[in-house]
Amino acid sequence: MSYIIACYKWVVDEADIRINPDLSIDTKKSKGKISDYDKNAIEAAVQAANILGGKSLGLTFGGPETRLSLKDALSRGPAEGCWISTGEAAKADAAVTAKALAAAIQKISDVSLVFCAEGASDTYARQTAPRIGAILDWPVVTSVSKLDIEGSTLTAVRKLDDCLQTVKVDLPAVVSVLPEINDAPIPGLKAVLAAGKKPVTEIKAEELGIDFSPKTDVTEIKGYLMNRKNIILSEGEAADKVKELAAYLRKEGVL
Amino acid sequence: MAGIYIYSDKKDIVAELINFAKESEKEACVITFKQEDAEAIKDFGAEKIYVLKGSSQVPENYGKAVAELLKKQDADLFAVGATARGRDIAARTAGYLDCGMVSDVSSLSYREGTVISQRMMYGGTVIQSEELKGLCVVTVPAGKFEAAVGGETVEIITIDVEADSRVRLIETAPVLREGTDITAVDTVICVGQGLDKKEDLQLAQGLADVLGAEIGCTRGIAEERKWLPVERYIGISGAVIKPKLYISMGVSGQVQHVVGIRDSKVIVAVDLNEKAPIFRAADYGIVGNMYEIIPLLTEALKNA
Ligand SMILES: Cc1cc2nc3c(=O)[nH]c(=O)nc-3n(C[C@H](O)[C@H](O)[C@H](O)COP(=O)(O)OP(=O)(O)OC[C@H]3O[C@@H](n4cnc5c(N)ncnc54)[C@H](O)[C@@H]3O)c2cc1C
């Protein structure tokens, strides 16, 4: 039975990032999460596996903290999980990440379809799907808002800046989906319990024999500080708050 | 021949990237996939225009051919307009070249063989500076450089190449834009998913009418609920606006949205949830039910 793979990333939750007065950033309080739009990629893989009669698999690449992601990912439907584990993922750029994922896809070997999301919540670089396609020399379809599978042909509607484009491609292929492709369900208790029993494979990154040196050199990471007045009217009658706000806006001269 | 190689499906960005190449004291070499596209930019002042001729109508299917051209010509850099097509072809080319790539730069310069770039991370919470050496790829949003003043192109070079024919184009349906440019107005009323139903947009329209404002929205209102056209949504993947006054209603203010309003003069938020991050991004806020607050505000500003 062939595999339908959803690539997903375990990321720092951007809402938990604190910015210090010197603009350095503090991610210590951040809990990890599955990158928001990857939930739609996982759902797309689960649905496609049902249609194709294949097996859905969640594939991720990352350091020790990524172990936590597997149960979460599998509670969203995939039959299996696969984790390419490394200590170096923090330094991995898009080139390294795509090479690791592509190498794992080759190792899994019987793969008919690979899904990625539009972009990750942390980097939002939107490189992974096209890069994986290039490395495997597979066809790539990005920005997909709708898809149909018949036999081994996939028909996709791509949302581009100036048009909707319908394309057809024979599998295997790499597809990146937009979040509006589906409603990613919130897993119920049963799904969460079942996830713990699903098979997970760990591949040590070193075993894949790829060059882990990033191509980009990060020279500075700096938080963005929003400097606003933060005058928040929370107490009292609605009518009074509105009156007060209207007075402020008049004073600002923006009406 | 070395030089900065350029691709964009948007003519404006081509002109801007030609100027970037000139500022970097490099030859501007533009890549196109159709004779007519080459003709259309012929007087933009590029040193060279390549026409890669192959069997596919989809530019993204030329990633491998572009990678081969860049290698053969010993290109310094591949600079691509950051649109859906551009990001795809750029990343495919980077994949074939196994080289570095920086997506959607917020600033970019090229000095002595080094690309120096900045981009946003974590939805805009963080700015990351990066340097790349050797042939690499960047995608550049519109408006980062002035457009080149123009001039004759020295050479148009046509090359027959192999396109990836596995992705077949079936049909193209143009997306009709309604014409409003929310980046160009003084006042924007922004609706978020706190809005219960589409008809309630009336609430925002009432306030917009009083202020002579346009209505904008968050991504979900446009992309998922489809209550407003996509050109009206604001944020990291939508429009970036700088109005004098921005008023949100039912917008939680996640960073991916707030990035799009940071340069507004005055930011006002109305939200039920006192802890909503939008209040940290706002100059003025009212914690309350917008179904109550917005009609009162509309009334109060009528006589402003
Ligand atoms: C990679 C990536 C890119 C993204 N790009 C963008 C982007 O470009 N633009 C964008 O907007 N988003 C973007 N997002 C999504 C973003 O993270 C948020 O999910 C989104 O902005 C939330 O939209 P919202 O505020 O309308 O909805 P919600 O977060 O659901 O907020 C609704 C708000 O309405 C309030 N509310 C409910 N009822 C009422 C009432 N009666 N009166 C007053 N308030 C009420 C609630 O308290 C809440 O604060 C992106 C996300 C990712 C991961």
Side-chain angles (χ1 to χ4, degrees):
Chain A
M1 215 188 324
S2 85
Y3 279 102
I4 320 301
I5 293 182
C7 299
Y8 74 88
K9 186 173 186 183
W10 187 248
V11 298
V12 163
D13 189 338
E14 66 277 9
D16 297 332
I17 296 177
R18 292 287 155 260
I19 296 164
N20 300 320
D22 66 355
L23 298 186
S24 61
I25 65 162
D26 174 1
T27 55
K28 283 199 282 295
K29 289 233 168 61
S30 313
K31 293 177 288 295
K33 65 170 181 182
I34 289 190
S35 176
D36 302 50
Y37 293 164
D38 288 353
K39 295 171 189 166
N40 303 96
I42 291 173
E43 175 64 14
V46 170
Q47 289 182 12
N50 284 337
I51 297 167
L52 285 164
K55 223 188 230 175
S56 53
L57 181 145
L59 173 64
T60 191
F61 167 61
E65 70 288 353
T66 312
R67 184 186 291 281
L68 287 171
S69 74
L70 285 151
K71 203 169 162 194
D72 185 342
L74 292 176
S75 74
R76 296 170 193 277
E80 289 182 28
C82 179
W83 169 34
I84 310 158
S85 66
T86 169
E88 293 179 78
K91 272 183 268 147
D93 63 358
V96 168
T97 303
K99 275 189 280 191
L101 293 169
I105 291 163
Q106 262 162 340
K107 202 176 154 97
I108 296 167
S109 88
D110 185 12
V111 177
S112 50
L113 192 49
V114 174
F115 284 102
C116 295
E118 177 199 359
S121 309
D122 55 354
T123 59
Y124 200 36
R126 292 171 271 191
Q127 296 183 23
T128 307
R131 272 189 188 266
I132 291 175
I135 296 165
L136 299 173
D137 204 14
W138 284 11
V140 178
V141 186
T142 56
S143 302
V144 172
S145 63
K146 206 169 156 259
L147 68 86
D148 275 308
I149 300 171
E150 250 192 77
S152 64
T153 306
L154 180 141
T155 307
V157 177
R158 303 178 63 207
K159 198 187 238 170
L160 302 176
D161 301 66
D162 55 358
C163 68
L164 291 177
Q165 184 185 72
T166 308
V167 296
K168 267 192 199 303
V169 62
D170 295 328
L171 304 180
V174 183
V175 172
S176 80
V177 294
L178 297 172
E180 60 263 33
I181 188 95
N182 54 39
D183 286 318
I186 298 165
L189 185 61
K190 233 173 98 187
V192 173
L193 291 175
K197 302 198 185 78
K198 291 181 180 174
V200 170
T201 316
E202 182 181 339
I203 303 175
K204 296 242 184 302
E206 310 86 71
E207 290 167 20
L208 292 172
I210 47 177
D211 172 13
F212 273 101
S213 42
K215 308 277 181 188
T216 56
D217 181 14
V218 175
T219 52
E220 189 183 34
I221 291 176
K222 210 167 71 183
Y224 185 99
L225 262 193
M226 221 37 202
N227 253 327
R228 291 285 169 175
K229 296 198 178 84
N230 300 133
I231 299 173
I232 309 303
L233 313 169
S234 55
E235 306 295 326
E237 292 296 316
D240 296 334
K241 292 190 277 192
V242 167
K243 237 177 159 170
E244 207 176 331
L245 174 62
Y248 279 123
L249 294 181
R250 279 193 197 98
K251 219 165 91 194
E252 290 276 1
V254 289
L255 292 175
Chain B
M1 199 165 134
I4 293 182
Y5 284 65
I6 293 164
Y7 169 76
S8 182
D9 55 346
K10 287 219 165 93
K11 271 188 347 186
D12 295 353
I13 306 184
V14 171
E16 290 163 11
L17 292 177
I18 290 173
N19 195 21
F20 159 66
K22 292 188 186 293
E23 280 178 10
S24 311
E25 295 173 2
K26 287 283 170 188
E27 282 206 336
C29 309
V30 182
I31 296 174
T32 64
F33 303 99
K34 273 195 222 140
Q35 187 66 33
E36 67 209 69
D37 291 346
E39 297 293 336
I41 55 160
K42 168 165 111 232
D43 54 2
F44 282 15
E47 268 77 23
K48 285 197 185 100
I49 300 175
Y50 286 92
V51 185
L52 302 193
K53 263 211 176 123
S55 56
S56 177
Q57 293 294 309
V58 180
E60 299 88 307
N61 286 343
Y62 290 82
K64 198 178 190 173
V66 170
E68 277 160 13
L69 175 75
L70 298 177
K71 247 193 322 213
K72 192 161 154 223
Q73 298 299 323
D74 195 19
D76 293 305
L77 171 65
F78 185 33
V80 182
T83 61
R85 273 191 202 97
R87 291 185 190 103
D88 182 331
I89 192 169
R92 266 197 245 190
T93 304
Y96 279 110
L97 291 170
D98 187 20
C99 69
M101 169 169 163
V102 187
S103 303
D104 288 77
V105 295
S106 45
S107 77
L108 173 70
S109 64
Y110 183 84
R111 257 177 265 140
E112 288 154 22
T114 303
V115 171
I116 300 158
S117 67
Q118 286 191 315
R119 71 182 305 267
M120 287 189 287
M121 295 276 286
Y122 299 107
T125 311
V126 167
I127 315 234
Q128 176 163 302
S129 306
E130 280 164 87
E131 290 188 9
L132 296 90
K133 284 191 179 28
L135 173 55
C136 58
V137 182
V138 293
T139 57
V140 187
K144 292 293 163 200
F145 299 93
E146 299 278 317
V149 282
E152 281 291 304
T153 294
V154 181
E155 238 184 315
I156 298 188
I157 304 154
T158 303
I159 307 175
D160 288 321
V161 297
E162 191 100 23
D164 184 342
S165 55
R166 294 170 296 184
V167 178
R168 306 180 298 276
L169 178 62
I170 305 301
E171 120 178 79
T172 304
V175 175
L176 294 180
R177 304 266 158 181
E178 51 153 31
T180 324
D181 180 4
I182 63 160
T183 65
V185 295
D186 279 344
T187 309
V188 172
I189 312 298
C190 183
V191 294
Q193 296 182 116
L195 203 70
D196 284 334
K197 46 188 190 305
K198 187 173 179 188
E199 297 78 73
D200 298 344
L201 283 169
Q202 260 329 103
L203 203 64
Q205 193 59 56
L207 180 58
D209 289 345
V210 164
L211 293 173
E214 286 292 340
I215 297 182
C217 62
T218 56
R219 180 164 171 160
I221 292 285
E223 298 278 24
E224 276 139 54
R225 299 192 190 169
K226 302 188 168 46
W227 290 354
L228 286 169
V230 290
E231 62 264 33
R232 286 190 185 257
Y233 89 78
I234 298 160
I236 193 165
S237 39
V240 175
I241 62 169
K242 307 176 186 177
K244 288 206 183 97
L245 177 60
Y246 161 99
I247 302 178
S248 77
M249 43 192 274
V251 172
S252 63
Q254 305 303 325
V255 60
Q256 293 91 352
H257 174 73
V258 168
V259 160
I261 61 169
R262 271 175 183 169
D263 293 329
S264 307
K265 179 155 183 264
V266 173
I267 296 176
V268 177
V270 177
D271 200 283
L272 214 46
N273 176 8
E274 191 172 0
K275 298 211 173 74
I278 191 73
F279 289 124
R280 276 184 263 133
D283 294 296
Y284 304 100
I286 291 184
V287 179
N289 186 339
M290 64 187 184
Y291 286 94
E292 184 184 4
I293 303 292
I294 298 297
L296 288 171
L297 187 62
T298 307
E299 214 33 57
L301 298 181
K302 249 182 199 157
N303 319 311

